[in-house]
Amino acid sequence: MSHDSEQPILRQIHDLVAEEHQLRSTHTGIGLNSAERSRLDAIERELDRCWDLLRHRRAEEEYGANTGGAAREGADAEDIPEI
């Protein structure tokens, strides 16, 4: 995978991590309400899919094998929603 082709996935990961940290840090000691908890759960699932997609693509490039190429639930770069 060329470095440039990783950028959309890495940018999405960066944005999701920033949102996750913001949610956690602004609610330290007071907890999250149900909407915030739901959003945090969604962020965690999306981060898992993004990292899986990146790992699959890197493995395909490195080993030349088709590892399925898709992350959890069949996500692809085009499936990664913008925030």
Side-chain angles (χ1 to χ4, degrees), residues 11-82:
R11 193 170 26 258
Q12 183 70 14
I13 289 169
H14 178 270
D15 292 346
L16 288 165
V17 168
E19 185 179 357
E20 177 186 31
H21 287 192
Q22 187 274 331
L23 267 174
R24 290 182 188 279
S25 67
T26 58
H27 293 86
T28 301
I30 58 173
L32 301 172
N33 65 35
S34 63
E36 292 162 335
R37 183 73 225 160
S38 293
R39 179 61 189 148
L40 186 59
D41 290 343
I43 290 169
E44 290 170 348
R45 283 190 308 275
E46 191 62 30
L47 278 169
D48 285 345
R49 286 198 309 248
C50 288
W51 281 115
D52 282 351
L53 177 61
L54 192 60
R55 281 189 294 269
H56 282 275
R57 287 186 174 185
R58 286 177 174 175
E60 285 178 359
E61 181 178 283
E62 184 174 345
Y63 300 108
N66 184 350
T67 60
R72 295 175 196 186
E73 300 178 26
D76 201 357
E78 296 79 30
D79 298 328
I80 298 172
E82 292 298 319

